[in-house]
Amino acid sequence: MASRRQRAARADPGAQLAEYRGKRDFSRTAEPAGGAARSSPPGRGLQFVIQKHAATHLHFDLRLELDGVMKSWAVPRGPSADPADKRLAMQVEDHPLEYNTFEGTIPKGEYGGGTVMLWDRGTYTADEAGPRADPEQVLRAGYLAGRLRVTFRGERMRGAWTLVRTDSGGKPKWLLIKHRDEHARRGGDLAAEHGTSVATGRTMVEITTARDRVWRSGRGTAEDVPPLPVGDVIRPMLPQAVRKLPAERFVYEAWPGGERLLADAVPGAAALLDERGRDRSAAFPELADALARLAERTGTPFVLDGEVAGAGQGARLIVLDLLLRGSESLLARGWRDRRRVLESLFERRRVPGVRLTPAGADADALLQRAAREGWSGIFGRDPAAPYRPGKRTAEWVRLAIPARYR
Ligand code: MN
């Protein structure tokens, strides 16, 4: 039990949360401002959570209750149950206790914008606290000294771990290391083994598309809404059917003639959505998997527009366009610009079953190729035109293969 004097000596949680609050606009994000939740009663163990967070880069946020706030670390690769597999943990600002129940979406453009999953939760205790010691005092001393030895009682985090500081500075670096105990496993990459929420059983994509915790102000104007939140229902731009290509200088692309789908990917998870926003991922699991891994490798969410040709294992996604990469919407940019970013996303990366649609300035050559390869025809695009969701304009046309090419 902590004495009254020890409790009075604690830092004021309000002051500790100043950095947390300074980074956020609580009229826009559903994250808690903090200050309402009470510390855990003494003797019951302190709370811990790990949140999987698909922001600009995917990471896991480890949070340990201490002195009325959640001490926090961003762990890029998440925890491992293998004692040989030390994981980098970057110390970040203290979070409020109410953050422990947060799962949902932080709006794009806000601090930490992206999807947050409750990946694990439970209690933890200090290993070095004797029967008479105040456990928080032991932890506080360890935290200041840069060496915390703790035991987790979570659903996925079990047993003893050490957090050791290797570098102090503006953002101190620590290592998160599993102890050799009955919960240690060689190659036991916990972060890779568990892909769902411990609270709701949902995947990252399911949380992203649920939109239950997304900020909806009801006060703001349309301009306040981020232009393209990941997971929002976006209607694909539509091509105008023509019998003759326009005279303007267009660029031309293959029109495969498959099922039109938008691919919404965050690191570790992806969904293929049809033109009405219905999830078609179950029909193309290999493609969804390949895109999830691409987002994982690049560490960024993205939204692609494309057509799926073929079925089952033979299904191929032919990518036509890129609507979002990282936290940046590309809708307002011209096609040539979007294509450049799209090519950089796929550059030197093998993504099984996925390829970019062939594009070029020579319509005749592309039509001959379309006839040979069995495409439906070609698209013509104004290279400067933005992406207009749900719109059909003369900036993007489609031409079926004329009889003379067959
Ligand atoms: Mn984070």
Side-chain angles (χ1 to χ4, degrees):
M1 274 284 269
S3 73
R4 191 168 297 160
R5 189 171 49 80
Q6 282 167 332
R7 287 192 173 269
R10 287 177 174 178
D12 165 25
Q16 289 172 273
L17 294 174
E19 184 182 354
Y20 170 87
R21 290 185 182 127
K23 286 179 170 172
R24 290 167 175 79
D25 177 351
F26 296 104
S27 69
R28 288 178 174 268
T29 180
E31 296 165 285
R38 294 283 187 84
S39 304
S40 300
R44 266 193 34 201
L46 296 158
Q47 298 177 49
F48 89 89
V49 292
I50 296 183
Q51 281 152 324
K52 185 172 177 176
H53 185 185
T56 314
H57 294 281
L58 180 77
H59 59 273
F60 291 73
D61 290 299
L62 167 65
R63 308 191 197 283
L64 305 181
E65 180 189 352
L66 182 59
D67 289 336
V69 295
M70 300 303 291
K71 297 291 176 195
S72 296
W73 292 262
V75 186
R77 297 180 57 213
S80 168
D82 185 342
D85 194 2
K86 303 178 171 83
R87 296 279 162 102
L88 173 68
M90 287 169 294
Q91 190 179 321
V92 297
E93 77 273 17
D94 298 342
H95 278 53
L97 292 175
E98 294 98 310
Y99 213 90
N100 295 358
T101 56
F102 183 75
E103 176 172 286
T105 313
I106 302 169
K108 289 281 138 203
E110 296 303 307
Y111 182 75
T115 301
V116 177
M117 170 197 282
L118 262 171
W119 186 84
D120 200 11
R121 60 183 170 187
T123 59
Y124 82 103
T125 49
D127 288 353
E128 285 153 332
R132 265 184 286 274
D134 170 11
E136 287 207 76
Q137 194 176 33
V138 173
L139 289 164
R140 193 181 307 131
Y143 182 77
L144 292 173
R147 187 163 173 276
L148 279 169
R149 295 186 54 170
V150 298
T151 293
F152 288 105
R153 289 176 191 81
E155 291 188 32
R156 294 164 182 172
M157 297 291 281
R158 309 288 300 174
W161 300 66
T162 298
L163 265 160
V164 57
R165 195 170 61 214
T166 59
D167 171 29
S168 356
K171 291 280 173 197
K173 291 190 180 73
W174 300 60
L175 291 172
L176 176 65
I177 309 164
K178 182 77 193 78
H179 266 218
R180 296 190 188 282
D181 62 13
E182 71 272 29
H183 300 289
R185 274 184 299 126
R186 179 185 282 206
D189 190 341
L190 291 171
E193 288 167 4
H194 300 282
T196 54
S197 163
V198 80
T200 62
R202 295 182 298 177
T203 62
M204 291 299 273
V205 164
E206 284 167 341
I207 296 166
T208 307
T209 51
R211 303 171 65 189
D212 53 349
R213 297 287 295 271
V214 180
W215 167 73
R216 287 285 174 266
S217 83
R219 300 186 302 263
T221 62
E223 282 76 34
D224 288 336
V225 179
L228 183 67
V230 178
D232 218 352
V233 177
I234 309 150
R235 291 189 176 273
M237 183 176 177
L238 302 166
Q240 212 166 69
V242 294
R243 291 171 165 280
K244 192 167 142 304
L245 290 171
E248 291 95 317
R249 259 180 189 282
F250 270 23
V251 284
Y252 305 95
E253 310 162 276
W255 168 25
E259 179 179 355
R260 187 79 180 278
L261 292 173
L262 295 181
D264 182 352
V266 297
L272 292 161
L273 307 169
D274 73 7
E275 295 182 49
R276 288 150 151 211
R278 289 174 303 204
D279 196 337
R280 295 275 292 132
S281 313
F284 310 107
E286 290 87 359
L287 294 176
D289 198 46
L291 294 167
R293 275 184 279 121
L294 176 62
E296 187 95 60
R297 260 143 69 206
T298 57
T300 51
F302 56 79
V303 175
L304 299 174
D305 180 0
E307 286 187 3
V308 174
Q313 301 246 341
R316 296 281 172 273
L317 173 66
I318 315 300
V319 181
L320 302 173
D321 218 326
L322 178 66
L323 281 55
L324 173 138
R325 181 169 188 190
S327 56
E328 191 195 357
S329 166
L330 303 175
L331 299 186
R333 299 225 223 149
W335 173 85
R336 203 185 292 284
D337 231 25
R338 299 197 304 275
R339 175 82 187 193
R340 198 172 39 71
V341 183
L342 176 63
E343 286 172 0
S344 77
L345 176 63
F346 280 84
E347 202 170 30
R348 289 192 298 277
R349 293 190 180 99
R350 212 181 66 81
V351 187
V354 182
R355 63 184 173 83
L356 306 193
T357 195
D362 187 342
D364 189 60
L366 207 57
L367 276 168
Q368 288 175 26
R369 192 169 158 196
R372 276 200 313 274
E373 303 210 10
W375 302 335
S376 293
I378 64 170
F379 294 116
R381 264 191 208 269
D382 176 346
Y387 191 97
R388 301 186 196 280
K391 293 275 162 37
R392 198 187 295 278
T393 75
E395 291 164 332
W396 192 36
V397 300
R398 74 168 194 226
L399 177 71
I401 303 171
R404 66 178 184 280
Y405 287 90
R406 290 179 194 278

